[in-house]
Amino acid sequence: MPDIPLTTLALLCLAALAAGWIDAVVGGGGLLLLPTLLLGLPASTPAAYALGTNKAVAIVGTSAAAVTYARRTPVDVRLAVRIGLAALAGSSVGAFFAAGMSTEVLKPVIMVVLLGVAAFVILRPAFGTAPAPGPVGRRRVLAAIGLAGLGIGFYDGFIGPGTGSFLVLALTAVLHLDLVSASATAKIVNCCTNAGALAMFAWQGTVLWQLAALMAVFNLAGGTLGARTALKKGSGFVRIVLLTVVLALVANLAYAQWVA
């Protein structure tokens, strides 16, 4: 593990705790965790180590949140795993193309889409407050696998930030899940994509395992607490957090595009 001051180490652990909570409620914890790692690690540390360590930390909190949700709310694990496997494939393809293409052109487009999503959620107060009656049809299942799996999986590999929030929105819109059930399903999908990415980073040797293990303890606590909070507070609370994270993602992308 690189030589990191104790104060910085404490801030990294607090960021892991907060990121775990955010990610469990609505996704998007990487918006906090990854930039903190990039700033906290010594300047000479290659960015790949921040990316690899981020995945090693995040998968722990995501897994804990998935287990907590599965124990306390009905989740179609079989469907979630099917979407997750599609997302794993999409993420691999996205990562392949990311090596040879600039993401700068896509960032303004993503910001416009996110602002549209925020407007939609604000203008539709009932969005995600209750599941649709009746079973989910085969066409909706295939659409979820295509959009939430292959599509958002590709985005995760190609760009990445806000993947969890996109998953929650897609699952809510396509499968007509309430926001709590969508968050629960998104956690299982995220476990699949995180596992694939972590395997690649581990194979490349770009994971700081000692630092990841320490931060993962805090991320685990945050993920468990976040899932319990979402289950206790309900879809209305998740909706507020979702809007906050979406607007934060827009601000983050705008800063990276025009300021940094």
Side-chain angles (χ1 to χ4, degrees), residues 83-108:
I83 297 172
L85 292 175
L88 178 60
S91 179
S92 300
V93 176
F96 175 80
F97 280 102
M101 295 179 65
S102 172
T103 62
E104 297 304 313
V105 177
L106 292 180
K107 286 180 180 178

Side-chain angles (χ1 to χ4, degrees), residues 87-213:
L88 178 60
S91 179
S92 300
V93 176
F96 175 80
F97 280 102
M101 295 179 65
S102 172
T103 62
E104 297 304 313
V105 177
L106 292 180
K107 286 180 180 178
V109 177
I110 295 168
M111 281 185 274
V112 172
V113 172
L114 284 169
L115 288 172
V117 166
F120 176 81
V121 175
I122 291 171
L123 296 174
R124 295 282 297 274
F127 178 75
T129 57
V136 179
R138 185 171 180 270
R139 288 185 178 180
R140 288 192 176 276
V141 171
L142 292 176
I145 292 173
L147 176 61
L150 293 173
I152 296 177
F154 179 87
Y155 169 80
D156 190 23
F158 193 71
I159 301 177
T163 296
S165 299
F166 279 128
L167 282 172
V168 171
L169 288 165
L171 292 170
T172 302
V174 176
L175 299 179
H176 289 174
L177 301 176
D178 62 84
L179 286 171
V180 172
S181 297
S183 293
T185 306
K187 292 307 104 189
I188 297 174
V189 176
N190 261 347
C191 284
C192 295
T193 56
N194 283 342
L198 178 58
M200 179 60 68
F201 284 121
W203 179 72
Q204 293 174 341
T206 55
V207 180
L208 301 172
W209 291 108
Q210 290 179 314
L211 177 60

Side-chain angles (χ1 to χ4, degrees), residues 236-255:
F237 173 77
V238 175
R239 182 174 178 271
I240 294 172
V241 178
L242 175 62
L243 281 172
T244 303
V245 171
V246 167
L247 293 175
L249 178 55
V250 172
N252 178 274
L253 290 171
Y255 177 84

Side-chain angles (χ1 to χ4, degrees), residues 74-81 185 188:
V75 180
D76 190 337
V77 176
R78 185 168 174 267
L79 174 60
V81 171
T185 306
I188 297 174

